[in-house]
Amino acid sequence: MSYAVVRLPALPNLNGSLSSTTSGSNKGGGEDAANCVGMNPTVAAFKWRLLIAYDGTHYSGWQYQQSPPTIQCILEKALIHVTKLERKDLSLVGASRTDAGVHALGQVAHFVTPFNYDSLDSIHAALNGLLPADIRVREISPAVPEFHARFSTESKIYHYKIYNDTVMDPFLRHYAYHSAYKLNATAMREAAKHFIGKHNFSAFVNASHNDRVRDPVKNILSFDVNEMGPLLQLEVEGTGFLYRQVRNMVALLLQIGKEAIPPDIVPMILATQDRKELAKYALSAPPHGLCLVSIKYNEQHLRLPSDCPLTSFGRHHTVRKCKLPFY
Protein backbone atom coordinates (compact mmCIF):
# COMPACT_ATOMS: atom_id res chain seq x y z
CA MET A 1 0.00 0.00 0.00
CA SER A 2 1.38 3.42 -0.92
CA TYR A 3 1.60 6.26 1.55
CA ALA A 4 3.55 9.49 1.86
CA VAL A 5 6.96 9.08 3.51
CA VAL A 6 6.21 10.52 6.92
CA ARG A 7 6.32 9.05 10.41
CA LEU A 8 3.36 10.24 12.44
CA PRO A 9 3.54 10.49 16.21
CA ALA A 10 2.26 7.46 18.07
CA LEU A 11 -1.53 7.44 18.15
CA PRO A 12 -3.80 5.22 20.20
CA ASN A 13 -5.54 2.32 18.51
CA LEU A 14 -9.11 1.49 19.43
CA ASN A 15 -7.81 -1.22 21.79
CA GLY A 16 -5.62 1.33 23.56
CA SER A 17 -2.29 0.21 22.11
CA LEU A 18 0.00 2.68 20.39
CA SER A 19 0.40 2.58 16.65
CA SER A 20 2.91 4.70 14.76
CA THR A 21 2.73 4.70 10.97
CA THR A 22 5.59 4.54 8.54
CA SER A 23 4.79 4.62 4.87
CA GLY A 24 6.46 3.63 1.67
CA SER A 25 6.58 5.55 -1.59
CA ASN A 26 3.71 7.74 -2.72
CA LYS A 27 3.29 6.29 -6.19
CA GLY A 28 0.14 4.61 -7.42
CA GLY A 29 -2.55 6.63 -5.69
CA GLY A 30 -1.06 8.18 -2.58
CA GLU A 31 -1.66 11.65 -3.99
CA ASP A 32 -5.23 10.69 -4.81
CA ALA A 33 -5.77 9.57 -1.22
CA ALA A 34 -4.39 12.83 0.12
CA ASN A 35 -6.37 14.98 -2.26
CA CYS A 36 -9.68 13.21 -1.82
CA VAL A 37 -9.53 13.43 1.96
CA GLY A 38 -8.42 17.04 2.09
CA MET A 39 -5.27 16.19 4.07
CA ASN A 40 -1.73 17.43 3.80
CA PRO A 41 -0.23 15.23 1.01
CA THR A 42 2.87 14.63 3.15
CA VAL A 43 0.81 12.95 5.88
CA ALA A 44 0.07 9.24 5.67
CA ALA A 45 -3.59 8.29 5.28
CA PHE A 46 -5.07 4.84 5.79
CA LYS A 47 -8.28 4.20 3.88
CA TRP A 48 -11.05 1.89 5.09
CA ARG A 49 -14.02 0.47 3.17
CA LEU A 50 -17.42 -0.09 4.82
CA LEU A 51 -20.26 -2.31 3.63
CA ILE A 52 -23.47 -0.99 5.19
CA ALA A 53 -27.10 -2.10 5.42
CA TYR A 54 -29.92 0.10 6.64
CA ASP A 55 -33.66 0.45 6.91
CA GLY A 56 -34.27 3.91 5.50
CA THR A 57 -37.80 4.29 6.88
CA HIS A 58 -36.93 6.88 9.53
CA TYR A 59 -34.12 8.70 7.72
CA SER A 60 -33.88 11.51 5.17
CA GLY A 61 -31.64 9.52 2.86
CA TRP A 62 -27.88 9.06 2.89
CA GLN A 63 -26.50 12.56 2.26
CA TYR A 64 -25.24 14.45 5.32
CA GLN A 65 -27.62 16.73 7.20
CA GLN A 66 -28.24 16.90 10.92
CA SER A 67 -31.97 17.55 11.02
CA PRO A 68 -33.84 15.52 10.04
CA PRO A 69 -31.16 12.85 10.50
CA THR A 70 -29.53 11.01 7.62
CA ILE A 71 -27.58 7.76 7.45
CA GLN A 72 -24.29 9.56 6.82
CA CYS A 73 -24.84 11.86 9.80
CA ILE A 74 -25.55 8.97 12.19
CA LEU A 75 -22.63 6.92 10.87
CA GLU A 76 -20.22 9.85 11.13
CA LYS A 77 -21.17 10.45 14.75
CA ALA A 78 -20.31 6.84 15.55
CA LEU A 79 -17.01 7.06 13.65
CA ILE A 80 -16.08 10.30 15.42
CA HIS A 81 -16.75 8.68 18.78
CA VAL A 82 -14.69 5.57 17.97
CA THR A 83 -11.75 7.16 16.16
CA LYS A 84 -11.61 10.44 18.14
CA LEU A 85 -11.18 12.27 14.81
CA GLU A 86 -13.06 15.28 13.45
CA ARG A 87 -15.61 14.93 10.66
CA LYS A 88 -13.38 16.75 8.17
CA ASP A 89 -10.52 14.35 8.91
CA LEU A 90 -12.63 11.23 8.41
CA SER A 91 -13.90 12.42 4.98
CA LEU A 92 -16.63 9.79 4.83
CA VAL A 93 -17.88 9.25 1.27
CA GLY A 94 -20.82 7.04 0.24
CA ALA A 95 -21.25 5.28 -3.08
CA SER A 96 -24.91 6.18 -3.53
CA ARG A 97 -26.92 9.10 -2.19
CA THR A 98 -30.10 7.16 -1.54
CA ASP A 99 -33.28 9.19 -1.04
CA ALA A 100 -35.40 9.52 2.08
CA GLY A 101 -37.14 6.24 2.82
CA VAL A 102 -34.95 4.16 0.50
CA HIS A 103 -33.25 1.08 1.98
CA ALA A 104 -29.85 -0.49 1.40
CA LEU A 105 -28.39 -3.94 1.79
CA GLY A 106 -25.10 -3.16 0.05
CA GLN A 107 -24.28 0.53 0.46
CA VAL A 108 -20.52 1.14 0.36
CA ALA A 109 -18.56 4.01 1.92
CA HIS A 110 -14.96 4.81 2.74
CA PHE A 111 -13.23 6.92 5.37
CA VAL A 112 -9.61 7.64 6.28
CA THR A 113 -7.51 7.78 9.44
CA PRO A 114 -3.96 8.98 10.01
CA PHE A 115 -3.25 5.76 11.95
CA ASN A 116 -3.42 2.05 11.23
CA TYR A 117 -5.36 -0.67 13.07
CA ASP A 118 -3.92 -3.99 14.21
CA SER A 119 -7.38 -5.56 13.97
CA LEU A 120 -10.70 -4.34 12.62
CA ASP A 121 -12.93 -6.56 14.76
CA SER A 122 -12.91 -4.15 17.70
CA ILE A 123 -13.80 -1.04 15.70
CA HIS A 124 -16.46 -3.06 13.87
CA ALA A 125 -18.07 -4.13 17.14
CA ALA A 126 -17.78 -0.62 18.57
CA LEU A 127 -19.50 0.97 15.57
CA ASN A 128 -22.43 -1.43 15.61
CA GLY A 129 -22.68 -0.97 19.36
CA LEU A 130 -23.13 2.78 18.85
CA LEU A 131 -25.36 2.69 15.77
CA PRO A 132 -29.14 2.32 16.05
CA ALA A 133 -30.56 -1.12 15.26
CA ASP A 134 -31.76 -0.05 11.79
CA ILE A 135 -28.20 0.72 10.60
CA ARG A 136 -25.56 -2.03 10.52
CA VAL A 137 -21.97 -2.12 9.31
CA ARG A 138 -21.73 -5.54 7.67
CA GLU A 139 -18.02 -5.46 6.84
CA ILE A 140 -14.93 -3.30 7.35
CA SER A 141 -11.87 -3.82 5.20
CA PRO A 142 -8.66 -1.93 4.41
CA ALA A 143 -8.62 -0.23 1.02
CA VAL A 144 -5.88 0.82 -1.38
CA PRO A 145 -5.53 4.58 -2.00
CA GLU A 146 -6.98 4.20 -5.51
CA PHE A 147 -10.28 2.95 -4.14
CA HIS A 148 -13.09 5.49 -4.03
CA ALA A 149 -16.57 4.47 -2.89
CA ARG A 150 -18.23 6.57 -5.59
CA PHE A 151 -15.77 6.86 -8.46
CA SER A 152 -14.50 3.25 -8.49
CA THR A 153 -17.98 1.82 -9.16
CA GLU A 154 -18.66 -0.18 -12.30
CA SER A 155 -22.36 -0.85 -11.74
CA LYS A 156 -25.11 -0.76 -9.12
CA ILE A 157 -28.02 -3.15 -8.58
CA TYR A 158 -31.35 -1.96 -7.20
CA HIS A 159 -34.47 -3.95 -6.31
CA TYR A 160 -37.95 -2.49 -6.26
CA LYS A 161 -40.57 -4.67 -4.56
CA ILE A 162 -44.29 -4.55 -5.38
CA TYR A 163 -46.80 -6.52 -3.34
CA ASN A 164 -49.52 -7.38 -5.85
CA ASP A 165 -52.56 -8.62 -3.94
CA THR A 166 -55.84 -7.25 -2.71
CA VAL A 167 -54.67 -7.17 0.93
CA MET A 168 -51.20 -5.90 1.87
CA ASP A 169 -48.86 -8.10 3.91
CA PRO A 170 -48.34 -5.97 7.05
CA PHE A 171 -44.81 -7.31 7.50
CA LEU A 172 -43.80 -5.89 4.10
CA ARG A 173 -45.49 -2.51 4.43
CA HIS A 174 -42.16 -0.65 4.88
CA TYR A 175 -40.32 -2.56 2.14
CA ALA A 176 -42.78 -3.08 -0.72
CA TYR A 177 -45.25 -0.90 -2.61
CA HIS A 178 -48.80 -2.22 -2.48
CA SER A 179 -50.68 -2.50 -5.76
CA ALA A 180 -54.23 -3.81 -5.40
CA TYR A 181 -54.54 -3.71 -9.20
CA LYS A 182 -53.69 -7.05 -10.82
CA LEU A 183 -50.48 -6.34 -12.74
CA ASN A 184 -49.54 -7.90 -16.06
CA ALA A 185 -45.98 -9.00 -15.32
CA THR A 186 -45.42 -10.14 -18.91
CA ALA A 187 -46.18 -6.66 -20.24
CA MET A 188 -43.92 -5.11 -17.60
CA ARG A 189 -41.13 -7.52 -18.56
CA GLU A 190 -41.51 -6.62 -22.24
CA ALA A 191 -41.45 -2.90 -21.44
CA ALA A 192 -38.40 -3.21 -19.16
CA LYS A 193 -36.35 -4.56 -22.07
CA HIS A 194 -36.66 -1.15 -23.77
CA PHE A 195 -34.64 0.42 -20.93
CA ILE A 196 -31.66 -1.90 -21.50
CA GLY A 197 -28.70 -0.32 -23.27
CA LYS A 198 -27.26 3.17 -23.42
CA HIS A 199 -29.91 5.89 -23.51
CA ASN A 200 -30.45 9.52 -22.67
CA PHE A 201 -32.63 9.32 -19.54
CA SER A 202 -33.51 13.03 -19.31
CA ALA A 203 -37.21 12.09 -19.38
CA PHE A 204 -36.73 9.96 -16.24
CA VAL A 205 -34.79 12.34 -14.00
CA ASN A 206 -36.18 14.71 -11.38
CA ALA A 207 -34.54 18.09 -10.81
CA SER A 208 -32.32 18.17 -7.73
CA HIS A 209 -31.26 21.44 -6.14
CA ASN A 210 -28.13 19.95 -4.55
CA ASP A 211 -26.79 17.99 -7.50
CA ARG A 212 -24.21 18.91 -10.12
CA VAL A 213 -25.11 18.83 -13.80
CA ARG A 214 -24.70 15.17 -14.71
CA ASP A 215 -24.45 13.28 -17.98
CA PRO A 216 -28.02 12.10 -18.76
CA VAL A 217 -26.72 9.18 -20.83
CA LYS A 218 -26.69 6.03 -18.70
CA ASN A 219 -26.14 2.37 -19.54
CA ILE A 220 -28.70 -0.11 -18.19
CA LEU A 221 -27.15 -3.59 -18.21
CA SER A 222 -30.22 -5.60 -17.22
CA PHE A 223 -33.80 -5.08 -16.08
CA ASP A 224 -35.73 -8.13 -14.84
CA VAL A 225 -39.27 -8.55 -13.49
CA ASN A 226 -39.39 -11.60 -11.20
CA GLU A 227 -42.60 -13.08 -9.81
CA MET A 228 -42.42 -14.58 -6.32
CA GLY A 229 -46.01 -15.37 -5.44
CA PRO A 230 -47.81 -12.07 -4.85
CA LEU A 231 -44.47 -10.25 -4.72
CA LEU A 232 -43.02 -8.72 -7.88
CA GLN A 233 -39.32 -7.91 -7.64
CA LEU A 234 -37.93 -5.55 -10.25
CA GLU A 235 -34.14 -5.85 -10.48
CA VAL A 236 -32.20 -3.25 -12.45
CA GLU A 237 -28.45 -3.04 -12.93
CA GLY A 238 -26.78 -0.01 -14.48
CA THR A 239 -23.45 1.74 -14.64
CA GLY A 240 -25.07 4.76 -13.00
CA PHE A 241 -28.43 6.34 -12.29
CA LEU A 242 -29.83 9.86 -12.29
CA TYR A 243 -31.83 11.38 -9.45
CA ARG A 244 -34.98 9.24 -8.96
CA GLN A 245 -34.40 7.49 -12.28
CA VAL A 246 -35.17 4.01 -10.92
CA ARG A 247 -38.37 5.13 -9.21
CA ASN A 248 -39.51 6.91 -12.37
CA MET A 249 -38.86 3.83 -14.52
CA VAL A 250 -40.77 1.68 -12.03
CA ALA A 251 -43.69 4.13 -12.02
CA LEU A 252 -44.06 3.81 -15.78
CA LEU A 253 -43.83 0.02 -15.58
CA LEU A 254 -46.62 0.04 -12.99
CA GLN A 255 -48.92 1.84 -15.43
CA ILE A 256 -47.96 -0.64 -18.14
CA GLY A 257 -48.63 -3.50 -15.70
CA LYS A 258 -52.11 -2.09 -15.11
CA GLU A 259 -52.52 -2.18 -18.91
CA ALA A 260 -53.30 1.54 -18.95
CA ILE A 261 -50.59 2.08 -21.58
CA PRO A 262 -48.70 -0.28 -23.95
CA PRO A 263 -45.10 -1.50 -23.43
CA ASP A 264 -43.83 0.26 -26.57
CA ILE A 265 -44.48 3.65 -24.97
CA VAL A 266 -41.06 3.36 -23.25
CA PRO A 267 -38.90 4.13 -26.33
CA MET A 268 -41.27 6.95 -27.27
CA ILE A 269 -40.86 8.67 -23.90
CA LEU A 270 -37.10 8.07 -23.92
CA ALA A 271 -36.85 9.75 -27.33
CA THR A 272 -38.53 12.93 -26.08
CA GLN A 273 -35.83 13.49 -23.42
CA ASP A 274 -38.51 15.51 -21.62
CA ARG A 275 -39.55 14.87 -18.01
CA LYS A 276 -42.92 16.52 -18.71
CA GLU A 277 -43.73 13.75 -21.18
CA LEU A 278 -43.33 11.05 -18.52
CA ALA A 279 -45.48 13.11 -16.12
CA LYS A 280 -48.43 12.68 -18.49
CA TYR A 281 -48.46 8.97 -17.68
CA ALA A 282 -46.84 8.41 -14.27
CA LEU A 283 -45.45 10.01 -11.14
CA SER A 284 -42.46 8.68 -9.17
CA ALA A 285 -43.01 5.40 -7.37
CA PRO A 286 -42.79 5.78 -3.56
CA PRO A 287 -39.35 5.28 -2.01
CA HIS A 288 -40.03 2.48 0.48
CA GLY A 289 -40.12 -0.23 -2.20
CA LEU A 290 -36.57 0.59 -3.35
CA CYS A 291 -33.40 -1.03 -2.02
CA LEU A 292 -29.75 -0.63 -3.05
CA VAL A 293 -28.73 -4.30 -3.14
CA SER A 294 -25.12 -4.32 -4.26
CA ILE A 295 -22.36 -2.35 -5.97
CA LYS A 296 -19.76 -3.78 -8.32
CA TYR A 297 -16.29 -2.26 -8.34
CA ASN A 298 -13.14 -2.15 -10.37
CA GLU A 299 -11.40 -5.34 -9.21
CA GLN A 300 -8.00 -3.65 -9.09
CA HIS A 301 -9.37 -1.13 -6.61
CA LEU A 302 -10.70 -3.91 -4.39
CA ARG A 303 -7.34 -5.57 -3.82
CA LEU A 304 -6.15 -5.48 -0.21
CA PRO A 305 -3.06 -3.42 0.63
CA SER A 306 0.00 -5.07 2.12
CA ASP A 307 0.71 -4.97 5.87
CA CYS A 308 -2.96 -4.47 6.68
CA PRO A 309 -5.41 -6.09 9.11
CA LEU A 310 -7.85 -8.72 7.85
CA THR A 311 -11.36 -7.81 6.75
CA SER A 312 -13.82 -7.87 9.63
CA PHE A 313 -17.15 -9.63 9.08
CA GLY A 314 -18.16 -9.27 12.72
CA ARG A 315 -17.44 -11.51 15.66
CA HIS A 316 -19.43 -14.53 16.79
CA HIS A 317 -20.15 -14.68 20.51
CA THR A 318 -19.72 -18.05 22.20
CA VAL A 319 -20.43 -19.41 25.65
CA ARG A 320 -17.33 -21.26 26.83
CA LYS A 321 -18.73 -22.51 30.10
CA CYS A 322 -22.24 -22.85 31.38
CA LYS A 323 -22.61 -20.61 34.40
CA LEU A 324 -26.04 -21.94 35.42
CA PRO A 325 -26.13 -24.55 38.20
CA PHE A 326 -27.33 -28.02 37.38
CA TYR A 327 -30.32 -29.32 39.29
Side-chain angles (χ1 to χ4, degrees):
M1 190 169 185
S2 303
Y3 302 110
V5 186
V6 167
R7 179 178 291 276
L8 295 177
L11 291 170
N13 265 336
L14 185 68
N15 59 15
S17 62
L18 294 180
S19 173
S20 62
T21 59
T22 305
S23 61
S25 65
N26 191 35
K27 65 181 180 179
E31 183 174 283
D32 173 69
N35 289 342
C36 78
V37 301
M39 296 178 69
N40 186 324
T42 62
V43 176
F46 294 84
K47 187 175 284 188
W48 312 99
R49 180 170 52 247
L50 302 172
L51 180 62
I52 310 155
Y54 50 83
D55 179 339
T57 303
H58 303 297
Y59 299 97
S60 295
W62 166 267
Q63 193 72 358
Y64 181 87
Q65 66 182 47
Q66 290 188 333
S67 181
T70 62
I71 306 296
Q72 183 178 2
C73 177
I74 300 297
L75 183 57
E76 282 185 352
K77 286 181 179 178
L79 281 168
I80 289 167
H81 184 87
V82 169
T83 64
K84 311 304 180 187
L85 296 173
E86 298 294 329
R87 178 174 182 258
K88 61 180 177 61
D89 298 322
L90 289 167
S91 297
L92 180 69
V93 176
S96 180
R97 289 176 283 184
T98 53
D99 295 337
V102 174
H103 314 293
L105 179 65
Q107 172 72 286
V108 177
H110 75 255
F111 69 98
V112 296
T113 61
F115 48 83
N116 200 0
Y117 282 99
D118 297 326
S119 169
L120 294 174
D121 286 343
S122 293
I123 184 175
H124 194 172
L127 284 174
N128 281 337
L130 290 167
L131 290 168
D134 50 7
I135 304 174
R136 293 290 92 177
V137 174
R138 295 173 56 196
E139 296 176 19
I140 304 181
S141 60
V144 292
E146 296 90 342
F147 174 80
H148 192 282
R150 187 179 305 161
F151 301 132
S152 296
T153 60
E154 292 195 340
S155 68
K156 299 175 183 177
I157 298 176
Y158 284 90
H159 284 177
Y160 194 96
K161 291 183 171 62
I162 302 164
Y163 195 78
N164 191 201
D165 204 351
T166 53
V167 179
M168 180 61 181
D169 182 339
F171 296 103
L172 294 177
R173 70 191 188 281
H174 294 310
Y175 313 106
Y177 169 70
H178 180 216
S179 174
Y181 294 92
K182 182 60 180 175
L183 299 174
N184 184 336
T186 301
M188 294 172 71
R189 201 172 288 117
E190 180 184 345
K193 292 179 181 178
H194 291 297
F195 287 118
I196 298 173
K198 191 175 289 186
H199 303 285
N200 185 316
F201 281 94
S202 294
F204 290 85
V205 60
N206 282 29
S208 174
H209 67 277
N210 61 354
D211 205 359
R212 300 186 299 273
V213 176
R214 301 180 67 182
D215 183 0
V217 177
K218 300 297 176 186
N219 189 12
I220 301 300
L221 304 176
S222 64
F223 204 146
D224 300 317
V225 178
N226 302 310
E227 296 178 81
M228 299 177 290
L231 193 66
L232 287 182
Q233 180 172 278
L234 281 59
E235 179 179 298
V236 57
E237 179 178 2
T239 55
F241 297 94
L242 299 166
Y243 182 56
R244 293 194 180 176
Q245 179 186 334
V246 176
R247 288 166 57 190
N248 286 329
M249 292 190 296
V250 169
L252 187 63
L253 291 181
L254 279 166
Q255 294 303 316
I256 292 168
K258 294 175 184 178
E259 301 181 339
I261 47 179
D264 59 7
I265 200 170
V266 174
M268 184 273 286
I269 294 176
L270 280 169
T272 68
Q273 299 180 19
D274 186 355
R275 178 68 179 84
K276 294 178 181 177
E277 191 64 28
L278 175 64
K280 295 177 183 178
Y281 303 97
L283 301 175
S284 290
H288 66 278
L290 187 61
C291 180
L292 172 61
V293 175
S294 64
I295 302 172
K296 296 180 181 179
Y297 281 97
N298 181 321
E299 287 295 330
Q300 283 298 309
H301 292 185
L302 287 180
R303 70 189 190 280
L304 295 178
S306 59
D307 301 323
C308 66
L310 297 175
T311 298
S312 174
F313 300 97
R315 290 185 295 198
H316 288 283
H317 295 276
T318 59
V319 178
R320 295 187 178 181
K321 183 178 180 181
C322 183
K323 297 181 180 180
L324 295 176
F326 290 97
Y327 297 98

